[in-house]
Amino acid sequence: MSREALIRAGVALLSEKGYSATGLDEVLRIAGVPKGSFYHYFASKDVFGAELVDAYATYFARKLDRWLLDESTAPLQRIRNFVADARVGMARYEFRRGCVVGNLGQEMSALPELFRDRLHGVLLDWQTRTERCLRDAQSAGEIAADADCTALAAFFWIGWEGAVLRAKLERSPEPLDLFANLFLANLAR
C-alpha cells in the first residue's frame, strides 16, 4: 500500500509542480510514508520518477481508450468527449495540474537522460491511439479519405500539450477549447 501511496502522491505532484520542484519530503508527507521506507521501494528519486512516468502513462492510456475506443460514438465526437473530460479534470484542480509528460518534457534539460526515451515513447503511444480514432473517422467519412492520420495525430498531441500548458498558465479552459475547436473544424470535410 505504501508503494502505491508514494506513486499516487508523486504523480499528483508532478502534474502540478514538475520534477525539479517536487521534493521527496513532500511526497513522503502527502503519502504518509516514513523516509526510510522510500528507499525500500525505490533505489533513487530518478528511479521513482521513471516509475511515475510509467504509472501516469498507464493511467492516461486507459483514459484515452475509454473515450477514443467508444464505438457507440462517432469518431470525431470521441475526441470531443476526451477534450471535455480533460477540461473537467483540469477545472477540478483549478487548472493547477497539467500533464505529467508535458511538464517533464519542459524540464528535459534538467532531467536524467533516461526520461527522454520514456517520455517520447508515451507521446508516440498517445499519437497511435489518436491515429486509430482518426482512421475510424476516415472510414466513417467524417474526414477526407486522403487525410494523413499519422501527421494529424502528431499535430494533435503537439498542439494539445501546448494548450494544456497555456490552460495551466492562464488557469482557464479557453486554450483547450480554442485548440480542440480549431483542430476539429479543420478536419471537417
Side-chain angles (χ1 to χ4, degrees):
M1 188 63 169
S2 294
R3 186 176 199 287
E4 290 79 21
L6 288 166
I7 289 173
R8 273 193 312 277
V11 167
L13 287 167
L14 287 185
S15 73
E16 190 168 336
K17 301 170 114 185
Y19 186 79
S20 300
T22 298
L24 287 182
D25 289 338
E26 185 176 17
V27 173
L28 293 165
R29 182 180 51 74
I30 290 170
V33 175
K35 191 167 196 165
S37 295
F38 178 85
Y39 293 103
H40 170 73
Y41 298 114
F42 306 100
S44 67
K45 183 181 177 187
D46 292 347
V47 169
F48 177 57
E51 289 206 34
L52 295 179
V53 170
D54 293 345
Y56 184 76
T58 299
Y59 154 79
F60 205 82
R62 280 194 304 261
K63 179 187 272 284
L64 281 174
D65 286 350
R66 183 170 124 218
W67 298 113
L68 300 184
L69 296 177
D70 179 4
E71 293 183 1
S72 70
T73 305
L76 293 184
Q77 185 60 47
R78 296 176 204 168
I79 295 172
R80 286 183 191 90
N81 292 346
F82 160 73
V83 168
D85 181 65
R87 188 183 198 276
V88 167
M90 287 191 78
R92 180 180 310 119
Y93 297 100
E94 299 172 348
F95 296 92
R96 289 187 323 269
R97 292 186 181 180
C99 174
V100 167
V101 173
N103 288 352
L104 294 178
Q106 292 172 53
E107 293 184 78
M108 198 55 235
S109 64
L111 294 178
E113 196 58 30
L114 76 97
F115 282 68
R116 183 179 306 280
D117 287 339
R118 224 177 202 109
L119 295 170
H120 188 240
V122 172
L123 288 170
L124 292 177
D125 176 66
W126 296 350
Q127 283 177 207
T128 299
R129 292 167 194 277
T130 306
E131 179 182 349
R132 193 176 316 129
C133 185
L134 290 169
R135 290 196 188 286
D136 287 350
Q138 228 171 13
S139 295
E142 290 185 296
I143 62 176
D146 63 349
D148 184 343
C149 293
T150 302
L152 287 169
F155 178 76
F156 177 85
W157 284 102
I158 290 167
W160 180 255
E161 287 298 325
V164 169
L165 167 72
R166 186 85 178 254
K168 191 176 168 186
L169 176 70
E170 295 176 11
R171 295 209 170 139
S172 165
E174 289 176 20
L176 303 175
D177 296 339
L178 177 63
F179 173 74
N181 290 338
L182 287 175
F183 177 80
L184 290 163
N186 284 311
L187 291 178
R189 291 181 50 125

